[in-house]
Amino acid sequence: MSTTTRFSGSSSRWGRKVVILGATSGIALEVERQLARRGAELLLVARSPQRLAALEADLLLRGAKQVATYASDLASIQQHAQVFDFVRQSCPEYDTVLLAYGSMQDQHDSEMSVDVLLDELNVNFVSAAAILTLFAADLEQRGSGCLAVITSVAGDRGRRSNYVYGSAKGALSLFLGGLRSRLHSAGVKVITIKPGPVQTPMTDHLANAARFAEPGLVARDIVRALGRRSPDVLYTPWFWRYVMTAVRQIPEPLFKRLEL
Ligand SMILES: NC(=O)c1ccc[n+]([C@@H]2O[C@H](COP(=O)([O-])OP(=O)(O)OC[C@H]3O[C@@H](n4cnc5c(N)ncnc54)[C@H](OP(=O)(O)O)[C@@H]3O)[C@@H](O)[C@H]2O)c1
């Protein structure tokens, strides 16, 4: 997909030196490619050192000014301090943190196993809130920067088919709302990113996956949101804002009967 927005002093406040947590996600990969084409500096954190090495080479070829990588399991909160220290040492002037990692396990597994349930809540909410707290304090002290965090439309209303994932994303969205309010006066932007279904490895086993949004389109919206007029809450593709407004209006006595 071609992109026309250019980084310049007037069009973009953030997105020049970007830390990406969960850099191997399908959505993050597309964001990284688009940022690389603009000559951004990227610091990538993900689980697989092999995939990070391949990604580094690819993004440098695509135009990234600089790429650093760090392998970590971000669900492990004990590892967060090391991730944070690496970022501070390798790219102390980072202007943006994009949190992209997440997990959507089969809802039925979470219903049958408290361990699976807790893993899902930890990956999607608890660990995310933990690592964001480190970066938030740093940016608050610095008085600038942007935290852009991928949650989901699934967090806007509890549905029987995915309320565990949805409740973690909903909690993350609430957390971001409060964080935004706290950091506003410090000059730090917090963007809540709510994609609808997207064609990535997370969803490729689902029926109708071919009709989901292309990750390149979602990435374009995310990269644009790092520009000067960035929204507080980004629904992507855009129409999900209106779909979820309608879904939230359905009275609970009716909603609980819907096979959603
Ligand atoms: N696809 C959708 O329909 C959709 C819709 C709304 C929101 N989202 C959200 O968008 C974000 C990106 O997801 P995606 O669609 O791009 O799916 P994806 O390609 O499956 O990406 C998920 C990423 O999370 C990483 N991850 C999972 N657990 C991790 C852990 N413990 N430590 C480090 N990384 C971990 C995975 O790492 P590995 O590469 O090592 O497996 C993978 O890169 C997620 O937060 C997801 O919840 C997705």
Side-chain angles (χ1 to χ4, degrees):
M1 174 164 300
S2 69
T3 47
T4 51
T5 311
R6 289 255 158 244
F7 277 158
S8 74
S10 62
S11 69
S12 213
R13 293 176 74 178
W14 304 289
R16 295 187 177 96
K17 299 185 181 192
V18 186
V19 178
I20 302 189
L21 305 173
T24 51
S25 104
I27 294 173
L29 286 177
E30 291 293 334
V31 171
E32 289 151 16
R33 287 173 184 158
Q34 294 183 24
L35 291 175
R37 280 204 289 274
R38 292 161 166 73
E41 290 180 35
L42 300 170
L43 196 155
L44 311 177
V45 183
R47 287 191 285 202
S48 163
Q50 293 79 14
R51 290 188 66 197
L52 281 170
L55 200 48
E56 178 177 352
D58 179 66
L59 293 170
L60 287 170
L61 277 176
R62 289 174 190 266
K65 187 172 175 191
Q66 198 170 313
V67 181
T69 65
Y70 191 85
S72 177
D73 180 345
L74 291 162
S76 171
I77 292 171
Q78 298 89 318
Q79 297 183 26
H80 287 181
Q82 291 162 298
V83 173
F84 182 65
D85 286 349
F86 180 80
V87 172
R88 290 292 309 272
Q89 281 167 20
S90 311
C91 191
E93 293 176 346
Y94 69 93
D95 58 54
T96 303
V97 177
L98 173 66
L99 189 148
Y101 72 93
S103 146
M104 188 175 68
Q105 306 209 34
D106 190 302
Q107 161 84 23
H108 184 68
D109 294 343
S110 295
E111 293 169 9
M112 294 297 117
S113 161
V114 173
D115 286 341
V116 176
L117 170 87
L118 295 178
D119 276 353
E120 196 74 336
L121 297 178
N122 181 55
V123 174
N124 290 306
F125 174 56
V126 178
S127 70
I131 199 158
L132 286 169
T133 295
L134 298 179
F135 285 104
D138 192 37
L139 293 178
E140 183 176 37
Q141 198 209 355
R142 208 196 293 171
S144 69
C146 175
L147 296 170
V149 181
I150 304 181
T151 70
S152 173
V153 295
D156 279 14
R157 189 141 196 197
R159 292 186 294 126
R160 72 170 77 170
S161 62
N162 76 343
Y163 67 83
V164 174
Y165 172 79
S167 61
K169 292 297 195 182
L172 183 56
S173 297
L174 278 181
F175 178 87
L176 294 171
L179 190 62
R180 175 181 306 115
S181 179
R182 170 187 144 202
L183 296 180
H184 174 70
S185 59
V188 179
K189 183 81 189 178
V190 176
I191 305 175
T192 303
I193 300 164
K194 296 187 177 185
V198 187
Q199 293 175 27
T200 68
M202 184 174 279
T203 56
D204 60 9
H205 61 287
L206 298 177
N208 300 329
R211 291 178 14 206
F212 295 169
E214 291 179 13
L217 186 95
V218 168
R220 188 191 62 190
D221 286 348
I222 293 173
V223 171
R224 277 190 184 154
L226 302 178
R228 184 158 287 276
R229 290 194 195 150
S230 52
D232 292 322
V233 179
L234 171 72
Y235 282 87
T236 173
W238 60 270
F239 54 82
W240 279 100
R241 177 179 296 276
Y242 302 100
V243 173
M244 295 317 296
T245 299
V247 168
R248 283 196 304 272
Q249 302 311 311
I250 301 171
E252 197 64 21
L254 171 61
F255 196 74
K256 73 183 179 191
R257 293 181 168 80
L258 299 178
E259 303 242 352
L260 292 171

